[in-house]
Amino acid sequence: MSQQPTPSTRPVRPAEPGQPKNVFVIGLDDENTETLRDVPHAEEYAFHPLLGHDELQHGAVDFEELLDRAQRRLDAFDGSIDAIVGYWDFPASVLVPLLSARYGTRSTSLESIVRCEHKYWSRLEQRKVTDAVPHFGLVDLDADDPRPPEGVRYPMWLKPVKSFSSELAFGVKDDEEFRAAVAEIREGISRIGGPFDTLMRRMELPPEIAEVGGAACLAEEALSGEQYAVEGYVHNGEVTVYGALDSIDYADSPCFLRHQYPSALPESVTARMADVSKRVMRQLGMDNATFSIEFFYDARTDELGVLEINPRHSQSHAELFEYVDGVPNHHCMVSLALGRDPRMPDHKGEYEVAAKWYHRRFADGVARRAPDRADVERVERDVPGVKVEVKVSEGQRLSELPEQDSYSFELAHVFVAAQSETELLEKYDRVIAALPFAFDDVAAEAA
């Protein structure tokens, strides 16, 4: 059992009849504020930001201070607290159950979130209910000469048991690359691993997990094939998978080019993904919460492998579901928190296919020019079914951008909806050609 949060001494203020339900969103940002307004019954909800995105994921993470700050803001709110939700990774993901327990709102348990997010613990649980798991083990970062775990072969991935996105995740194919990756992970693992360890000390953990802690390094054999994802939720113990997506990489790179919905996989394969998802989520103990699971599928061998489990839906996919199904996937998150029916419609949207594209640069540089609001508005006006989010400002150095993976820098997110994949590709090419990016190279020795 975890250390239970102290119930709030704040007087309970039930929502007045006919008044909006107050939904507090941890890390609410401008893009998702717009999307949340499109969920069913949005006129019945009042969405309130609780901690900013910058507070949650930029720089050092002081978990206890963030929790205290959120509690102070909720205690000061003069009205009902009807739901507390979030769609970001740690620490937002664990703040939701802690605050929900304190203020009496609905969510899954803290234990279920940590079982998912601690990559080693999650692998141990997955292995109990499915064989779609790669060989894995821990790397001793304190050793003078760290070695791959016994039984884990190259090529492999090294990653902290807890990190943001693909931060400090390295694909390695030999001992030299292994040593270089270990050195970088040692250098940066405490930024997220330290706060995650603080959280874990609140919990009564299995001995094998308590010994590992939150700042350890996982190694696992690389999965083969192409990458896919499913999204779903658990409602009163019943697991539902409502969508499958294709995750398409840049050529000769592990970096995403786009996420595309719906998946082009045969229904027999997506059904297998759904079956594995249901068994794993039941094993992990999730309930009344959304999730997304990343898979690899190798069409040559017909082998399926679980890459990662996220105890939240992907806010990155919200527009895709809205374009194709008519409702953003935020609907499931909000509905579960309020005890409402979380079912998603199927193909009730305006378009047949949609994708989120990641426009990237694979070398450091300084933005000599970046699209401004007028540029974006012109592109969105000229190419229907398109939304552009620019991630770089003029004069900004790419290596100073937060939350980047180990191989590239994101310049823009481009959401494109179309009636066919051919039209989807054509629209994206038109958008990229119209966005005025320009960079000055940065010499490697100056980086």
Side-chain angles (χ1 to χ4, degrees):
M1 296 294 291
S2 65
Q3 176 184 328
Q4 293 299 316
T6 303
S8 174
T9 57
R10 174 186 181 276
V12 176
R13 300 179 179 89
E16 296 290 334
Q19 292 299 307
K21 298 284 189 181
N22 292 305
V23 179
F24 288 83
V25 186
I26 298 176
L28 183 61
D29 53 344
D30 292 341
E31 291 86 357
N32 284 289
T33 297
E34 181 181 339
T35 309
L36 280 164
R37 294 193 183 108
D38 292 335
V39 301
H41 313 293
E43 70 280 0
E44 301 174 16
Y45 308 144
F47 295 107
H48 304 276
L50 181 61
L51 303 176
H53 188 235
D54 288 351
E55 293 177 275
L56 291 165
Q57 294 194 327
H58 293 179
V61 175
D62 187 336
F63 171 76
E64 295 291 350
E65 200 280 329
L66 286 171
L67 179 61
D68 182 63
R69 194 183 307 170
Q71 289 176 172
R72 291 197 306 271
R73 293 176 186 176
L74 288 168
D75 286 343
F77 181 70
D78 186 20
S80 63
I81 298 174
D82 301 296
I84 300 170
V85 299
Y87 41 72
W88 297 113
D89 202 345
F90 178 85
S93 56
V94 297
L95 289 171
V96 170
L98 284 169
L99 293 170
S100 293
R102 178 176 171 85
Y103 294 96
T105 58
R106 291 166 59 95
S107 81
T108 192
S109 67
L110 175 64
E111 288 87 348
S112 66
I113 296 285
V114 176
R115 282 191 208 104
C116 291
E117 292 204 343
H118 191 290
K119 297 181 193 300
Y120 179 66
W121 193 359
S122 183
R123 284 300 194 200
L124 293 176
E125 295 299 320
Q126 294 166 36
R127 193 167 60 183
K128 295 175 182 178
V129 294
T130 179
D131 58 3
V133 177
H135 295 293
F136 65 94
L138 294 170
V139 177
D140 184 359
L141 295 178
D142 295 326
D144 293 334
D145 185 21
R147 298 287 183 176
E150 184 177 350
V152 181
R153 301 166 299 179
Y154 295 116
M156 69 179 69
W157 281 88
L158 300 187
K159 59 190 76 172
V161 296
K162 184 61 213 159
S163 65
F164 288 150
S165 187
S166 298
E167 186 176 306
L168 294 179
F170 298 94
V172 300
K173 62 180 183 295
D174 55 36
D175 288 344
E176 182 179 357
E177 292 185 354
F178 179 91
R179 287 190 291 270
V182 165
E184 289 207 44
I185 291 171
R186 275 173 167 169
E187 181 75 19
I189 196 169
S190 63
R191 185 174 91 83
I192 305 304
F196 196 61
D197 208 38
T198 298
L199 167 75
M200 292 177 67
R201 287 197 291 271
R202 286 174 159 265
M203 305 170 58
E204 185 175 330
L205 300 165
E208 66 271 23
I209 302 303
E211 182 179 355
V212 169
C217 178
L218 179 70
E220 51 189 35
E221 287 186 10
L223 294 163
S224 63
E226 304 298 327
Q227 196 168 337
Y228 303 89
V230 300
E231 295 230 356
Y233 58 81
V234 190
H235 182 217
N236 295 333
E238 182 178 347
V239 185
T240 296
V241 173
Y242 58 76
L245 305 93
D246 298 338
S247 300
I248 299 166
D249 292 341
Y250 279 83
D252 302 317
S253 168
C255 301
F256 289 133
L257 171 62
R258 70 183 186 271
H259 297 298
Q260 186 168 313
Y261 177 69
S263 173
L265 279 171
E267 186 177 346
S268 59
V269 179
T270 58
R272 286 167 58 192
M273 290 181 181
D275 176 64
V276 171
S277 300
K278 291 175 182 179
R279 284 186 275 132
V280 167
M281 298 317 294
R282 284 193 291 264
Q283 178 65 28
L284 291 166
M286 290 279 288
D287 200 6
N288 295 312
T290 56
F291 65 85
S292 61
I293 303 181
E294 299 168 47
F295 287 90
F296 269 88
Y297 175 67
D298 192 329
R300 297 169 302 171
T301 62
D302 196 35
E303 289 186 354
L304 187 66
V306 176
L307 175 61
E308 187 166 271
I309 297 174
N310 300 302
R312 54 185 170 78
H313 71 290
S314 174
Q315 57 86 26
S316 295
H317 302 159
E319 287 88 350
L320 310 189
F321 285 97
E322 184 170 14
Y323 282 135
V324 175
D325 292 333
V327 170
N329 59 1
H330 289 332
H331 161 64
C332 302
M333 172 188 72
V334 175
S335 297
L336 288 165
L338 290 169
R340 290 185 158 183
D341 186 346
R343 281 180 293 180
M344 288 281 287
D346 184 27
H347 282 80
K348 302 297 184 183
E350 186 177 349
Y351 297 94
E352 291 296 317
V353 62
K356 178 182 180 180
W357 300 75
Y358 298 83
H359 181 43
R360 302 177 186 268
R361 178 179 162 98
F362 289 84
D364 198 5
V366 175
R368 185 169 67 252
R369 185 177 179 192
D372 59 21
R373 186 63 241 170
D375 295 320
V376 170
E377 289 175 353
R378 184 185 67 255
V379 170
E380 293 178 345
R381 183 176 61 250
D382 292 346
V383 188
V386 163
K387 176 183 175 183
V388 178
E389 297 174 359
V390 177
K391 299 299 178 180
V392 179
S393 302
E394 193 169 304
Q396 193 165 28
R397 182 167 175 171
L398 298 181
S399 58
E400 296 174 354
L401 292 169
E403 301 171 50
Q404 301 299 303
D405 63 35
S406 303
Y407 300 94
S408 70
F409 306 99
E410 294 180 4
L411 307 183
H413 296 166
V414 182
F415 299 87
V416 181
Q419 302 304 340
S420 69
E421 186 173 75
T422 299
E423 183 188 6
L424 189 81
L425 303 178
E426 291 173 349
K427 281 187 173 184
Y428 177 71
D429 288 342
R430 286 174 60 193
V431 170
I432 295 305
L435 291 175
F437 282 105
F439 295 91
D440 293 320
D441 292 332
V442 176
E445 60 269 21

